[in-house]
Amino acid sequence: MTIMDIVHEASQFEVPLSADECLKCNVCNTVCPVARVTDLFPGPKYVGPQAQRFRIATLLPPQAPSTPILTSPDATVDYCSGCGICTTACPADVKIAEMNSRARAEIKAGHRPRLRDWLLGQTDLVGHLGVAFAPLANWTLRNHLIRTLIEWTIGIHRRAPLPIFAGKTLRSRLSATAKGSRGETGGVVEPPPDRAVVLFHGCAANYYEPHVAFAAIEVLRRNGFETIAPDQVCCGLPFISNGLYSNARGRARTNLSVLADYARRGYKIVGTSTSCTHTLKAEYREMLDVDDDDARAVAGATWDICEFLLDLHDQDRLDTNFGRLDETLPYHAPCQLRSHGIGLPALDLFALVPGLQAIDMDHDCCGIAGTYGLKKEKYDIAMAVGDPLFTRLRATESARVACDSETCRWQIESATDRPVKHPIEIIAAAYAARDNPSRASGPEQAATTR
Amino acid sequence: MEPSPSHPRTSLARSIVPSSDVVVVGAGLAGLTAAIALVDAGAKVTLVARGHAATHWTAGGLDVAAPPGSNTAAEGLARLKARRGHPYAFLAADVRPAVDWLMGVLSAEGLPYAGDLDAPLRTMPTAIGSTRRVSLVPDAQSAALAPWSLDERLVLAGPAGFKDFWPAALAASLERPRVWGGDEAAVARPARVEAVSVELPGLAGRRNLTALHLAHLFDDPAWRATALDMIAMAVEEAGTGPGRIALPAVLGLADHAGALRDARQMLPLPPFEVPLVPPSLPGLRLYHALRAALRRRGGKIEVGEEVIRVDHDGRRVTAVAIAAAARERLFRTGGLVLATGGIAGGGLLGRADGTLVEPLLGLPVEAPAIGEWLAPDPFEPAGHPLESAGIRTDERLRPVDAGGRAVFENVAVAGSMVAGQRYLVERCGDGVAIASGRRAASTLGAALANTRGRREKAGATR
């Protein structure tokens, strides 16, 4: 066993020291969607593995007390959108995007967070307030004058695609039974793990798009699974993306304290937000160094909804009695989905639906990358990153688009004026078309029921 | 250099995806060629790769064979065919049809290639002011192929301040006859070499400008019209007379065909691209065209997914396990193409004890003993000893043991994993990749047809 083996075993060094594998081959720079459109970001190679050598000295214990703590030699790392495409492209397994995220966090550590960045991470607080005052909040956030003021004061771009608050939260619409034994009421008898899954609905489904969660619940029910949605908070990804790791760790601990118990009892944790599920699977460990038994149990139990359904199909357990959906459906695979390493399961599911012609738009990133494209100084970059996708979508005849990630859906809707659906909504519509072929939720109807 | 556990599994949870007829591992020239040929043969193919391959680092041409002393690629091919243990010893007959076929595939994707295996190898300038000998090149480099006439000038034209292409420095080097092959009388070369640097629109003060930035600018028809106009004026100001223009290889990526067309129309002399240091646009275009060809045919390609294990029953590979986030993902498969890129690509790993291992299937590796890994001369004319390391196969490219027996029936090895080639000095890597990729496809395609035939027969008699 060498020193490097020991170092590799300590997971908190896995990301930072993967820089050692970098060949300086530039492949990451060829795929970076941000460096493609702006000089403000020199490219993942430069701010990632190349800058990492300046940071690495502070990582190796034991550290002499006099060693200065180096953060990053280059603050442009903040222009990394965190899309993660570089990591998937790297032939040497360097965790480039993860390294950049950690570098950003180190730059921000010990400083008071910028109000905007803190606010973008406070998805539960904002969500609760927004839903409570939904009509007012929605009006406010669509008023151009107010949005201009918000841009000046807080730094959220006036045209950034902010979602519409739902009238009620998902949680308030779920029955006590659906919230499980760990729910507010407690003591509920839960169906066993072969007949139920835990739903990690995330903030998007709770505060903005309860219909996505309901589509998932319905599809799961069709396939013999009850849904348990125990107490949960934001996965913490918005804090991670904004470099506020200690806040994110708090979210991680809260979620793990509830979810680990389910995971150990054999429940699968299924999520409709592909970025939340990736956070549970990988980022608690890779970014936050939260790598205890709870984190491992939850990571191993977490599934993206489409990944879960495709797995059912492979076991011949998926109900494939879909009705016809005669439409051409452009599909955008979010950058965050690619980090799962699960292929594009939504496309495999769409292929099972008669009449449905899904088209993979094959574009790397829509630009938004979570909260990146909301920011005043990054909005134009995000729009430029997504521009080829938007141009092609605007040129299609299709009435709607499919995409697994909520922030991407909002970005694409805002840029193209096309309704963008979660794949699970399409699958739910395909079941509905079977039940009631005459009232099938075709594209026209779907567009009007937005 | 032990493989580091870069993907510690946090759980043994498994996800099984629907089966493929063949899984191809590796997204380089060999893997992509094999995958395209397999889909053409009717197989359901999934190509998985841990990351992008060497296509992004290469000059974009197709090196078939150019060992020292050969005048044409065909001659080089014959020479290597006669070399005991070289992959061309059994692949040589496939090379022409395979390369012709692949050039057809590339042309259909809007990336035509030019050149002739029987024509003399041509000397073309490089971006460091040296030259290299080529046979098959992308259309954008084809203007460099024709022999130079006595009155021709070569104008090196590049954007001012672009760190990867320095016209004046290149000209200073390329003015020397010996750079073009030594014997001044025998080797055609330009009569004059000139250099122009052009301030292109919007680039003043841009630091860290890369080939990719420039290529994206050249994708924009309006920008490139202005830029080409400025280059044309600068070239005309620099001198008169017939000749050719060498440009850095930045003529577009998404709309390379349009950029090349416009460059040919607007520049006063025929232009050709000079490949740059990585990231190489000609290599990227090759990758993009092959990926598009595979996807157009219905093949799947997933990059960023590392194979961590291959399951087999001793004779046949049955499944391939991929490192997904928090779990492994299992592809059931009827066959496997191993195009994992040899030592440079991570397909072979060196251990501290001086052995080389093939990490996915533990195949027997043919390699020099540790004492012979390093040549005393880093530029050893015969090539680096370790280059020839690889997997010894039968003529169908199935890996074999020391006795020459196939170790697995449904595994075929392709590209630089195939033992016995010294691709750097023999300049045969692309030819081997294409011919072996296609041969691997036919081996596994035939195996699939047999399996299907047996299954159908069994079905009929039942």
Side-chain angles (χ1 to χ4, degrees):
Chain A
M1 181 170 260
T2 66
I3 291 170
M4 285 311 285
D5 292 332
I6 298 165
V7 167
H8 273 296
E9 276 190 4
S11 72
Q12 70 266 37
F13 296 127
E14 181 198 338
V15 168
L17 291 190
S18 69
D20 197 42
E21 309 285 335
C22 176
L23 306 168
K24 310 277 181 281
C25 77
N26 265 299
V27 159
C28 53
N29 284 344
T30 70
V31 297
C32 176
V34 175
R36 186 171 69 216
V37 301
T38 178
D39 287 356
L40 292 170
F41 186 60
K45 185 183 88 160
Y46 302 108
V47 300
Q50 216 145 286
Q52 187 71 2
R53 73 178 77 137
F54 295 99
R55 305 175 194 125
I56 229 162
T58 61
L59 296 167
L60 293 171
Q63 206 43 250
S66 58
T67 310
I69 299 295
L70 298 171
T71 51
S72 178
D74 188 353
T76 57
V77 71
D78 191 41
Y79 276 91
C80 167
S81 77
C83 72
I85 308 273
C86 48
T87 301
T88 63
C90 177
D93 281 343
V94 182
K95 300 269 184 185
I96 310 164
E98 294 79 356
M99 202 176 285
N100 290 350
S101 173
R102 294 172 74 114
R104 173 176 14 231
E106 273 182 40
I107 290 175
K108 297 198 175 181
H111 299 284
R112 218 173 117 171
R114 187 171 168 177
L115 172 65
R116 187 221 21 224
D117 297 348
W118 179 82
L119 207 57
L120 287 174
Q122 288 289 358
T123 48
D124 284 307
L125 177 68
V126 172
H128 273 298
L129 285 171
V131 170
F133 304 99
L136 178 67
N138 287 329
W139 177 84
T140 305
L141 294 179
R142 260 134 205 89
N143 181 295
H144 188 71
L145 190 65
I146 297 173
R147 283 294 298 271
T148 306
L149 280 172
I150 292 175
E151 180 180 310
W152 287 348
T153 52
I154 298 177
I156 291 174
H157 196 279
R158 68 189 79 177
R159 286 193 297 278
L162 296 181
I164 299 168
F165 291 105
K168 279 183 166 180
T169 63
L170 169 73
R171 298 202 66 79
S172 70
R173 292 168 63 183
L174 292 174
S175 68
T177 328
K179 292 178 194 165
S181 59
R182 298 288 305 260
E184 289 89 344
T185 50
V188 174
V189 178
E190 292 165 331
D194 58 340
R195 286 197 288 112
V197 296
V198 168
L199 179 69
F200 191 82
H201 47 65
C203 303
N206 197 26
Y207 305 113
Y208 308 101
E209 302 181 324
H211 53 275
V212 170
F214 285 117
I217 290 169
E218 169 59 16
V219 169
L220 288 164
R221 188 195 62 77
R222 280 258 178 181
N223 288 286
F225 290 94
E226 294 300 312
T227 307
I228 306 164
D231 274 359
Q232 52 191 277
V233 294
C234 169
C235 66
L237 180 59
F239 277 132
I240 296 176
S241 313
N242 286 284
L244 306 178
Y245 277 17
S246 60
N247 303 58
R249 277 188 199 102
R251 299 292 189 273
R253 295 282 173 218
T254 307
N255 283 322
L256 292 176
S257 70
V258 174
L259 297 175
D261 178 49
Y262 282 100
R264 288 206 186 87
R265 281 151 63 203
Y267 288 96
K268 285 184 172 170
I269 301 161
V270 176
T272 48
S273 168
T274 198
S275 51
C276 302
T277 50
H278 185 255
T279 305
L280 297 184
K281 279 183 184 180
E283 301 201 359
Y284 286 175
R285 179 173 62 83
E286 289 180 345
M287 314 285 202
L288 303 180
D289 299 332
V290 175
D291 191 24
D292 52 17
D293 289 346
D294 283 2
R296 275 181 223 132
V298 168
T302 301
W303 293 68
D304 179 80
I305 181 79
C306 291
E307 178 193 18
F308 177 78
L309 294 176
L310 194 63
D311 188 54
L312 280 187
H313 180 53
D314 195 65
Q315 302 166 39
D316 265 341
R317 288 174 60 199
L318 184 75
D319 175 1
T320 53
N321 281 312
F322 296 112
R324 282 193 79 79
L325 288 183
D326 282 309
E327 65 174 294
T328 303
L329 181 69
Y331 168 73
H332 170 65
C335 51
Q336 289 142 337
L337 174 74
R338 294 169 206 262
S339 299
H340 282 261
I342 55 176
L344 306 178
L347 284 180
D348 293 325
L349 292 174
F350 291 158
L352 303 171
V353 177
L356 186 61
Q357 290 292 321
I359 304 168
D360 180 5
M361 297 308 287
D362 197 25
H363 186 70
D364 44 18
C365 177
C366 73
I368 195 81
T371 60
Y372 183 84
L374 301 178
K375 297 170 185 174
K376 183 169 82 174
E377 72 280 12
K378 288 160 186 148
Y379 173 82
D380 290 333
I381 296 172
M383 292 304 284
V385 166
D387 187 63
L389 172 69
F390 307 147
T391 307
R392 280 165 57 217
L393 282 175
R394 284 189 212 109
T396 66
E397 301 277 298
S398 309
R400 56 182 177 178
V401 179
C403 176
D404 312 68
S405 165
E406 57 276 2
T407 53
C408 308
R409 286 196 291 277
W410 303 333
Q411 166 89 337
I412 298 168
E413 274 191 353
S414 147
T416 65
D417 270 334
R418 299 275 155 95
V420 187
K421 300 288 166 188
H422 191 291
I424 199 67
E425 296 179 83
I426 307 292
I427 297 301
Y431 282 133
R434 173 85 188 181
D435 297 343
N436 207 337
S438 58
R439 287 186 52 237
S441 171
E444 304 78 23
Q445 198 171 342
T448 57
T449 54
R450 241 179 106 181
Chain B
M1 199 175 68
E2 289 284 323
S4 59
S6 53
H7 283 281
R9 297 277 69 79
T10 49
S11 151
L12 290 176
R14 272 192 192 182
S15 161
I16 302 178
V17 303
S19 60
S20 296
D21 290 333
V22 180
V23 168
V24 177
V25 188
L29 186 55
L32 285 160
T33 300
I36 293 168
L38 276 160
V39 180
D40 276 353
K44 187 179 165 194
V45 176
T46 305
L47 185 154
V48 294
R50 148 169 112 160
H52 287 298
T55 42
H56 292 48
W57 316 339
T58 60
L62 302 176
D63 286 345
V64 168
S70 38
N71 293 312
T72 67
E75 201 185 305
L77 183 59
R79 202 177 284 223
L80 295 177
K81 181 187 173 186
R83 244 292 274 295
R84 204 163 159 249
H86 196 281
Y88 280 162
F90 60 93
L91 283 173
D94 279 17
V95 172
R96 268 173 205 273
V99 168
D100 285 347
W101 164 78
L102 195 77
M103 281 166 67
V105 169
L106 289 166
S107 187
E109 296 298 332
L111 191 67
Y113 271 64
D116 183 347
L117 297 182
D118 296 312
L121 291 160
R122 295 300 181 191
T123 303
M124 74 176 282
T126 71
I128 57 167
S130 62
T131 59
R132 63 193 178 100
R133 296 165 85 212
V134 299
S135 57
L136 306 176
V137 292
D139 191 23
Q141 296 172 28
S142 63
L145 289 178
W148 294 86
S149 56
L150 286 175
D151 55 351
E152 265 193 288
R153 60 188 183 127
L154 168 62
V155 187
L156 297 141
F162 175 42
K163 62 184 165 55
D164 293 342
F165 192 85
W166 296 96
L170 299 182
S173 175
L174 291 166
E175 273 166 0
R176 301 172 300 168
R178 68 181 170 84
V179 170
W180 293 83
D183 184 353
E184 196 174 340
V187 179
R189 60 185 177 87
R192 299 199 309 279
V193 184
E194 293 157 12
V196 297
S197 277
V198 190
E199 291 281 355
L200 295 184
L203 300 188
R206 275 185 74 168
R207 294 167 300 139
N208 235 336
L209 202 62
T210 69
L212 282 160
H213 288 125
L214 289 166
H216 293 308
L217 287 169
F218 270 101
D219 280 338
D220 172 8
W223 187 89
R224 75 180 174 236
T226 319
L228 289 168
D229 199 38
M230 294 169 82
I231 296 171
M233 285 197 300
V235 169
E236 278 170 346
E237 273 169 28
T240 51
R244 302 173 216 177
I245 303 176
L247 297 168
V250 296
L251 292 176
L253 182 58
D255 186 24
H256 169 57
L260 181 58
R261 184 197 57 226
D262 289 359
R264 283 175 172 160
Q265 268 173 15
M266 297 184 62
L267 296 177
L269 301 170
F272 65 88
E273 282 193 331
V274 177
L276 305 174
V277 296
S280 160
L281 266 299
L284 275 168
R285 292 177 200 133
L286 176 63
Y287 171 76
H288 287 192
L290 292 172
R291 178 179 181 273
L294 175 59
R295 284 169 48 86
R296 192 181 310 287
R297 288 162 168 76
K300 275 193 186 176
I301 170 166
E302 297 185 9
V303 172
E305 312 205 347
E306 183 177 7
V307 175
I308 47 174
R309 200 186 64 249
V310 176
D311 292 344
H312 57 81
D313 62 9
R315 292 296 300 162
R316 299 180 62 82
V317 161
T318 52
V320 172
I322 303 288
R327 65 179 54 91
E328 65 180 46
R329 191 168 150 228
L330 210 59
F331 289 87
R332 286 190 301 249
T333 186
L336 178 76
V337 175
L338 195 69
T340 46
I343 292 171
L348 297 176
L349 299 174
R351 287 185 186 276
D353 66 356
T355 53
L356 284 179
V357 294
E358 187 287 304
L360 294 186
L361 281 160
L363 296 174
V365 178
E366 185 181 290
I370 187 165
E372 292 156 25
W373 276 19
L374 303 173
D377 176 1
F379 301 105
E380 166 66 43
H384 198 287
L386 208 51
E387 272 177 66
S388 63
I391 307 297
R392 183 55 59 189
T393 70
D394 63 12
E395 296 199 353
R396 293 155 69 187
L397 291 167
R398 297 178 306 176
V400 294
D401 60 18
R405 287 174 302 267
V407 214
F408 290 103
E409 290 163 16
N410 62 345
V411 173
V413 182
S416 51
M417 283 296 279
V418 182
Q421 53 183 317
R422 290 185 166 182
Y423 48 83
L424 293 182
V425 70
E426 294 167 349
R427 303 281 306 279
C428 62
D430 302 321
V432 170
I434 297 167
S436 63
R438 197 149 170 261
R439 175 82 64 97
S442 89
T443 296
L444 294 179
L448 284 170
N450 282 345
T451 320
R452 277 192 197 132
R454 275 202 303 274
R455 231 184 267 142
E456 274 157 28
K457 217 168 156 188
T461 52
R462 211 182 301 147

